Amino acid sequence: MLFKTSSEKIVILGLNEISLFLAKKLSINKDIIILYENENFQDYRIEETDIITQKIDFNIYQELTKLNDRENIIFISMTTDEIFNIFAARIAAEFNFKMIISLVYTNEYSQINYDFDLIINPHQLIINYILTSIRETRLLNIKRLIPGQINISKIKVKNDDSFVNTKIKNINLKKSLILAVIRKNKIHMATPELELYPGDYIYWLYKKGISDWLRFFNPRYYKKNKIFIFGGKKLCYKLVNEIQNIFEPIVIIEPELKTCNFLASKMEKPLILHGEGTEYNLFKEEGMNDQSIFIALSHSDSQNILSSFGAENLSCKTVLTLINKYHHKKIANLLDINKTIFIPELISNFINKYFNNNIKLNKLEKDIFISKINLSQNLLILNKKIKNIGLSPGILVGVIVRNNKIIIPAGNNTLQAEDTVFVFFKKEKETEVKNKFRSNRI
Amino acid sequence: MNISSVLHILGNLLLLVAFSMIFPFLIGIYYQEFDALIFIITSGITAISGLLLKKFKYSQSDLQYKEGFMVVTLGWILVSLYGGIPFLLADIFDNPVDALFESMSGFTSTGATVIMSLESLSHTILFWRSLTHWLGGMGIIVMTIAVLPQLAGNMNLFKAEVPGPVHNRIKPRIKETAKTLWWLYIILTLLEVILLWLQNVPLFEALIHSFGTISSGGFSSRALSVKSYNSILVDFIVTIFMFLAGTNFNLIYKSLQGKLSSLFYDEEFRMYLCLLTTAILLISLNLYINNYESIIQSFRYASFQVVSISSTTGFATVDYDTWSPFCRWILLILMFIGGSSGSTAGGIKIIRIKLLFKKGLQELYRLLHPRSVKKVKINKQVVSETVSTSILGFFFLYIIVFVSVTLVLTYFGIDILSSISAVAATLGNIGPGLGIVGPLKTYLSFPESAKLLLVLCMLMGRLEIYTILVFIFMHKN
């Protein structure tokens, strides 16, 4: 056809650094309309990007009714006001849009079911990125995924361990489970016949309790990298909450005394220092060295870049820098600060992956994945002992959540409808997991 | 200042005391004792004084914090003065200082006595003596708030009588909180009475000892105190209830509601348990090595004495004054620390010790990391600077009062150990101390002026120093 337009449109509500960056990325193969209320955000890139910007009235309902062909429109609510985002997306949910996505900053708000297709929590994306960068992402993601009193640890088998040179079936695991064994960089799913040797790394899943207390006497569970976080306020608070049980010590440097007081009142473990990110002497005094990790999260790009520059000069092992303005990213790169966190980029990558149906499964190790599955009625595996459901080697049921009670199953446990199960499996077993745990066979 | 309202409330307070004197009268009638008449006379005098004071006009709106401090201080003094009259009329003492000492010791739930032979006293007087403990244990002002509708919601009065660092309420309204606390107090008392009675303790004595236990007072009907029953089960029951008396009543209430976990999430309770366990283990071990042949016997005596001193009850099953200096030193430390906040126990209180300890650590932390920002927290709640400063101030004043009064006592020729323990025992509302005021001895040998000083110590200890000092300096300002 002569005047064919692309079939899919994206309507983004809100004009700001994030929405503009996203629009620019998506505009390559989609039509983009940005709706905005105020003209505070002025950027030369608006003119350079192939998008339509449209000023709207305060009445969002009326504006949405003006959009035609709504079943082909993806609506993304992306203003800086999360409450307005939820409100607008909720109204949009009443129309027949193809997809609804909203930006929400508060964890609690993002967990409510609004009937949106996707809720993006930028802080969570940043935290995930940081965790990936400091190489603890897998265990942390899994710990976050499995609710309640469950923990997973990666421990090294030593000569003096009681279970060394013993087959897994002969180890008294009590209420725990060995998920996988890493031997000479090769990963093996745990099987009853697998024997543990010194030098093996094992992924051990267990209920929290005494084993957690034992960690105090067993320092090998802890990482020795000191983490320094500069600024970040709420984001810093969220990040520390995620990592404080894994990394110790954590040092927070915060320029605002009020925020220092807030953080000190909320957290027990981290050392909170009142200071600027450019006080390199403070870094040295607190023991920053080549094993340290430095994360700059303040709202000021210049402070973040300068503090990261200092941390790089003190030979920090990993330096991560939050950048709020796109052109500052280039300056950071010029100063050899390469690991930058740019929120619009994280969000647009995430949305792109979502559009391409390419969001990764949670990984335990290279080829071992974890999947959370709610067991529906009429599955063939229901009401049978796990040992009798014919799971091939390479698939393990790790945790069953039944009526809010957490069970680490043995072969004799049965699966019931409405259970939530956490299945660990090798990449090549993905289809079998889908068939057994998701398909309706009757 | 609204003196008229203060006098009106004091009148109400005296009427309540007059009413409470009916109970010893009834006991006297039951036992057909002459002393019953004394309580009719005293009750009459107290009631008339109360009615006269009640003539003064009361205005709720004018009752500010200064009036609160005044009511509480004068209230406790007046109640103790009137409460001492029966001792004089019954001819137990021939001087009013001794009567005031015994009465103040009763109402402040101290348990220090100037009576040599308890067995010679009538049931009526013994009951009154223990009833003063019971009334004072939960607080006479708290009782007044619970009973009198016109004082409902008066937080100034409540704070002046219960001036601890935290004011957790069981119920949203202060009147309801006071009522609930009193009900809990009554239930615990009745429970102990029944349990002791089931162990063949005569009902009257079960009542006396239960009053002494729950109020953490320590007045007994026998010179040998709980030791006279020589029963492991009686020891055990009294130990458990002394332990409860030293526990925050809010926590006991929550536990009774099924929230048992609240006990173990409470830092003060954990420290209370930890302190008691450590002290019991150390003393048991020392007693086993030095005094007793059996570890069970050592443990039995150690646990009773430790819980008794820590909860500031002051009952004894053994003369711990004969124990090694190590054991006595531990007991002396426990005298200073006392029980939990929100309990009937006295002393500095465990929560304050914990906060002082944390404050010390915070300063140490600040020296190691001069730029650090660290908050002192109790039960995951930040303790404000105002509260921290107030606790530091309280500790300082406690030590100042302790040192000054000890100095005066030594001036009277009393030996250092006895002076130190006498002040610690009265300021901490414990009762018996060490040396000449040991568990099987009395304060009778002290000069009158020394007794008056100790009366002041008891009052200061019960009202946690600040209330009395505010009352004194209020007039200077």
Side-chain angles (χ1 to χ4, degrees):
Chain A
M1 268 199 276
L2 190 59
F3 298 107
K4 187 176 181 248
T5 55
S6 56
S7 59
E8 209 171 57
K9 274 184 197 161
I10 294 178
V11 173
I12 302 174
L13 181 67
L15 181 57
N16 48 49
E17 189 76 40
I18 297 174
S19 62
L20 189 61
F21 191 90
L22 178 69
K24 199 172 175 181
K25 277 239 169 181
L26 298 177
S27 63
I28 298 163
N29 49 18
K30 287 187 172 68
D31 294 347
I32 309 285
I33 302 169
I34 294 185
L35 306 177
Y36 66 98
E37 265 191 325
N38 55 48
E39 290 164 16
N40 289 344
F41 184 81
Q42 298 291 340
D43 195 291
Y44 67 96
R45 284 170 294 165
I46 299 172
E47 301 302 321
E48 289 178 358
T49 313
D50 183 15
I51 52 171
I52 300 165
T53 55
Q54 195 176 310
K55 192 167 183 332
I56 58 164
D57 290 333
F58 184 72
N59 190 333
I60 186 75
Y61 184 89
Q62 225 167 45
E63 295 299 334
L64 293 180
T65 52
K66 287 179 194 168
L67 296 169
N68 298 319
D69 195 21
R70 286 194 287 266
E71 53 276 11
N72 280 322
I73 295 177
I74 295 168
F75 179 80
I76 306 177
S77 194
M78 206 157 256
T79 71
T80 47
D81 179 349
E82 65 173 338
I83 301 292
F84 185 70
N85 286 344
I86 297 169
F87 175 70
R90 194 65 204 83
I91 289 176
E94 296 300 315
F95 294 89
N96 199 18
F97 283 104
K98 185 182 178 190
M99 193 183 281
I100 292 165
I101 298 172
S102 177
L103 198 68
V104 176
Y105 291 86
T106 311
N107 281 354
E108 288 74 16
Y109 290 170
S110 62
Q111 281 156 14
I112 297 170
N113 184 12
Y114 303 100
D115 210 11
F116 304 158
D117 295 280
L118 181 66
I119 290 177
I120 302 163
N121 185 335
H123 284 171
Q124 205 53 54
L125 287 181
I126 295 172
I127 290 167
N128 286 349
Y129 178 81
I130 291 170
L131 294 175
T132 315
S133 304
I134 55 180
R135 298 183 189 286
E136 278 297 325
T137 178
R138 288 184 291 270
L139 279 187
L140 274 167
N141 277 339
I142 289 164
K143 281 176 194 172
R144 276 209 304 271
L145 189 70
I146 302 175
Q149 299 296 308
I150 291 289
N151 212 348
I152 299 179
S153 291
K154 183 182 177 182
I155 60 171
K156 191 177 179 183
V157 180
K158 290 194 166 179
N159 275 318
D160 52 350
D161 284 329
S162 59
F163 45 82
V164 75
N165 300 324
T166 311
K167 286 183 178 175
I168 289 176
K169 67 176 181 186
N170 295 330
I171 300 171
N172 183 9
L173 291 169
K174 292 181 182 164
K175 286 180 178 175
S176 69
L177 193 69
I178 293 176
L179 297 170
V181 179
I182 304 170
R183 183 171 299 152
K184 290 174 186 167
N185 291 327
K186 209 177 162 193
I187 183 125
H188 306 270
M189 277 301 273
T191 57
E193 295 299 323
L194 193 67
E195 204 168 317
L196 300 179
Y197 300 125
D200 285 352
Y201 282 91
I202 53 176
Y203 279 107
W204 203 318
L205 185 142
Y206 55 93
K207 281 200 176 183
K208 285 179 186 171
I210 292 170
S211 2
D212 269 12
W213 294 12
L214 289 176
R215 292 200 307 177
F216 290 105
F217 305 102
N218 194 349
R220 67 181 144 141
Y221 285 93
Y222 279 105
K223 293 278 169 192
K224 284 174 187 164
N225 306 113
K226 202 175 211 177
I227 295 195
F228 289 80
I229 303 170
F230 168 62
K233 296 182 179 175
K234 254 189 186 177
L235 177 58
C236 166
Y237 173 59
K238 285 183 186 174
L239 174 66
V240 172
N241 270 340
E242 296 264 0
I243 61 172
Q244 64 181 348
N245 290 327
I246 293 155
F247 288 95
E248 220 175 359
I250 298 171
V251 181
I252 299 170
I253 301 158
E254 171 58 50
E256 280 181 31
L257 189 58
K258 200 177 157 189
T259 311
C260 286
N261 283 323
F262 167 77
L263 294 172
S265 67
K266 294 280 177 192
M267 293 184 285
E268 198 65 56
K269 285 183 185 170
L271 167 63
I272 298 157
L273 302 171
H274 179 220
E276 298 290 331
T278 46
E279 293 179 76
Y280 303 139
N281 277 342
L282 186 62
F283 294 178
K284 279 187 207 166
E285 257 174 39
E286 294 302 334
M288 188 182 277
N289 57 29
D290 57 355
Q291 288 302 305
S292 306
I293 294 165
F294 182 82
I295 306 163
L297 294 177
S298 85
H299 293 303
S300 157
D301 284 354
S302 55
Q303 284 265 340
N304 285 350
I305 292 169
L306 283 172
S307 59
S308 298
F309 184 69
E312 287 275 11
N313 279 327
L314 288 168
S315 317
C316 268
K317 188 180 156 196
T318 310
V319 177
L320 295 165
T321 316
L322 180 73
I323 299 291
N324 299 295
K325 291 238 182 263
Y326 184 69
H327 51 273
H328 291 160
K329 195 176 154 135
K330 289 175 184 167
I331 298 171
N333 292 343
L334 280 175
L335 291 168
D336 282 340
I337 300 162
N338 295 318
K339 280 198 171 180
T340 52
I341 308 162
F342 184 51
I343 302 176
E345 193 172 37
L346 287 181
I347 292 174
S348 60
N349 286 346
F350 186 75
I351 291 179
N352 249 333
K353 277 178 193 165
Y354 182 76
F355 287 164
N356 300 327
N357 215 357
N358 198 19
I359 290 179
K360 281 181 193 166
L361 286 162
N362 283 290
K363 260 187 193 178
L364 179 71
E365 259 298 336
K366 273 181 268 173
D367 292 326
I368 297 187
F369 296 89
I370 174 172
S371 187
K372 178 185 177 183
I373 306 165
N374 297 318
L375 298 184
S376 55
Q377 302 279 353
N378 304 329
L379 286 174
L380 285 177
I381 54 166
L382 295 182
N383 304 316
K384 285 182 186 168
K385 288 182 178 174
I386 292 173
K387 63 183 178 189
N388 297 333
I389 59 178
L391 293 178
S392 58
I395 304 175
L396 258 177
V397 180
V399 180
I400 302 171
V401 184
R402 183 174 298 154
N403 300 327
N404 294 325
K405 205 178 152 192
I406 289 166
I407 304 161
I408 296 180
N412 285 332
N413 285 87
T414 53
L415 298 176
Q416 294 174 9
E418 308 296 326
D419 281 355
T420 302
V421 290
F422 291 85
V423 184
F424 295 79
F425 55 94
K426 281 197 150 187
K427 177 74 180 151
E428 62 266 24
K429 303 286 177 183
E430 194 178 341
T431 322
E432 187 184 334
V433 170
K434 276 183 185 167
N435 290 339
K436 278 221 154 66
F437 291 88
R438 294 189 196 275
S439 296
N440 191 339
R441 295 287 189 84
I442 296 173
Chain B
M1 188 177 292
N2 187 352
I3 300 287
S4 175
S5 291
V6 170
L7 294 173
H8 180 93
I9 297 171
L10 291 175
N12 277 325
L13 202 60
L14 286 184
L15 285 176
L16 271 178
V17 175
F19 173 74
S20 68
M21 286 175 178
I22 291 171
F23 297 103
F25 167 73
L26 294 175
I27 292 284
I29 295 290
Y30 178 78
Y31 285 103
Q32 297 176 344
E33 289 173 343
F34 178 74
D35 286 347
L37 272 179
I38 289 169
F39 282 91
I40 285 289
I41 299 166
T42 321
S43 180
I45 297 169
T46 316
I48 291 165
S49 312
L51 286 170
L52 284 173
L53 288 174
K54 218 173 170 271
K55 295 269 179 210
F56 288 94
K57 205 179 156 205
Y58 174 75
S59 154
Q60 165 95 46
S61 57
D62 294 338
L63 213 66
Q64 300 302 314
Y65 70 97
K66 278 186 180 176
E67 282 84 358
F69 284 115
M70 197 170 204
V71 166
V72 171
T73 311
L74 288 178
W76 278 84
I77 293 171
L78 268 183
V79 163
S80 302
L81 282 171
Y82 281 85
I85 295 174
F87 297 118
L88 283 174
L89 294 181
D91 222 11
I92 294 162
F93 306 117
D94 48 14
N95 80 65
V97 174
D98 283 346
L100 178 66
F101 186 95
E102 198 71 14
S103 173
M104 184 63 88
S105 173
F107 278 110
T108 55
S109 71
T110 304
T113 186
V114 278
I115 299 172
M116 281 301 281
S117 169
L118 290 174
E119 278 82 356
S120 65
L121 298 182
S122 65
H123 289 89
T124 323
I125 290 292
L126 281 174
F127 184 81
W128 172 242
R129 208 168 151 258
S130 293
L131 188 67
T132 56
H133 262 349
W134 196 72
L135 293 173
M138 184 50 74
I140 45 173
I141 304 294
V142 172
M143 181 175 69
T144 320
I145 291 170
V147 173
L148 294 180
Q150 63 190 151
L151 293 184
N154 200 312
M155 199 62 192
N156 286 328
L157 282 179
F158 190 81
K159 274 187 184 172
E161 192 179 50
V162 192
V166 281
H167 290 101
N168 293 330
R169 298 187 197 186
I170 293 175
K171 302 276 180 181
R173 294 181 67 83
I174 199 69
K175 184 184 166 76
E176 294 304 313
T177 302
K179 269 189 182 169
T180 314
L181 285 174
W182 266 97
W183 273 117
L184 186 61
Y185 195 58
I186 291 167
I187 290 166
L188 286 175
T189 310
L190 287 177
L191 198 64
E192 193 187 350
V193 170
I194 293 165
L195 288 172
L196 287 177
W197 187 51
L198 289 175
Q199 292 308 312
N200 298 324
V201 176
L203 188 60
F204 177 77
E205 290 182 23
L207 203 61
I208 295 285
H209 285 97
S210 300
F211 281 175
T213 311
I214 302 299
S215 64
S216 69
F219 274 161
S220 174
S221 50
R222 298 188 183 209
L224 287 176
S225 190
V226 183
K227 179 184 164 71
S228 55
Y229 301 107
N230 199 22
S231 153
I232 292 183
L233 275 173
V234 170
D235 284 8
F236 179 71
I237 294 165
V238 177
T239 307
I240 293 295
F241 281 91
M242 287 192 296
F243 173 76
L244 290 176
T247 307
N248 189 331
F249 273 50
N250 287 0
L251 284 181
I252 299 177
Y253 181 74
K254 279 184 191 168
S255 311
L256 290 176
Q257 284 185 317
K259 295 171 193 164
L260 269 175
S261 56
S262 60
L263 278 177
F264 298 96
Y265 283 117
D266 188 82
E267 279 189 51
E268 190 184 23
F269 183 75
R270 288 207 304 261
M271 189 172 168
Y272 181 45
L273 264 187
C274 187
L275 262 176
L276 292 183
T277 315
T278 313
I280 290 171
L281 288 177
L282 288 174
I283 293 180
S284 299
L285 200 68
N286 194 277
L287 288 180
Y288 179 58
I289 294 166
N290 297 320
N291 297 56
Y292 306 108
E293 284 178 2
S294 134
I295 187 77
I296 294 169
Q297 198 182 15
S298 308
F299 181 77
R300 177 187 164 187
Y301 290 139
S303 52
F304 188 94
Q305 266 51 237
V306 163
V307 177
S308 173
I309 295 291
S310 183
S311 65
T312 72
T313 309
F315 280 139
T317 51
V318 71
D319 184 5
Y320 51 74
D321 207 23
T322 60
W323 288 357
S324 69
F326 176 74
C327 298
R328 285 188 291 159
W329 178 235
I330 291 177
L331 292 180
L332 196 64
I333 294 169
L334 292 177
M335 281 185 195
F336 279 99
I337 296 173
S340 311
S341 61
S343 70
T344 55
I348 292 174
K349 300 274 162 69
I350 290 165
I351 199 163
R352 288 201 181 95
I353 299 291
K354 178 115 196 172
L355 273 167
L356 285 169
F357 185 69
K358 285 198 171 185
K359 196 81 190 154
L361 282 183
Q362 187 194 31
E363 289 308 311
L364 185 68
Y365 195 79
R366 214 169 266 167
L367 287 172
L368 286 169
H369 306 283
R371 305 279 289 277
S372 69
V373 179
K374 193 155 180 75
K375 299 275 177 193
V376 174
K377 290 177 200 163
I378 288 281
N379 295 333
K380 294 185 179 168
Q381 297 290 316
V382 175
V383 179
S384 69
E385 277 303 311
T386 324
V387 173
S388 301
T389 316
S390 136
I391 286 165
L392 283 172
F394 174 84
F395 185 71
F396 174 75
L397 288 174
Y398 200 92
I399 298 298
I400 288 287
V401 171
F402 168 75
V403 170
S404 317
V405 181
T406 308
L407 190 73
V408 177
L409 291 190
T410 50
Y411 174 80
F412 289 121
I414 301 161
D415 69 280
I416 292 177
L417 180 69
S418 302
S419 301
I420 287 175
S421 69
V423 181
T426 47
L427 199 57
N429 299 131
I430 295 141
L434 299 166
I436 62 164
V437 289
L440 302 178
K441 293 172 186 132
T442 71
Y443 286 74
L444 191 64
S445 57
F446 277 55
E448 305 307 312
S449 37
K451 281 181 199 158
L452 277 176
L453 254 181
L454 294 179
V455 163
L456 185 68
C457 280
M458 289 182 217
L459 189 62
M460 280 185 147
R462 180 62 184 81
L463 300 180
E464 304 198 334
I465 298 178
Y466 276 127
T467 307
I468 303 291
L469 293 183
V470 169
F471 174 74
I472 294 167
F473 289 108
M474 190 191 298
H475 300 285
K476 295 217 166 185
N477 288 334

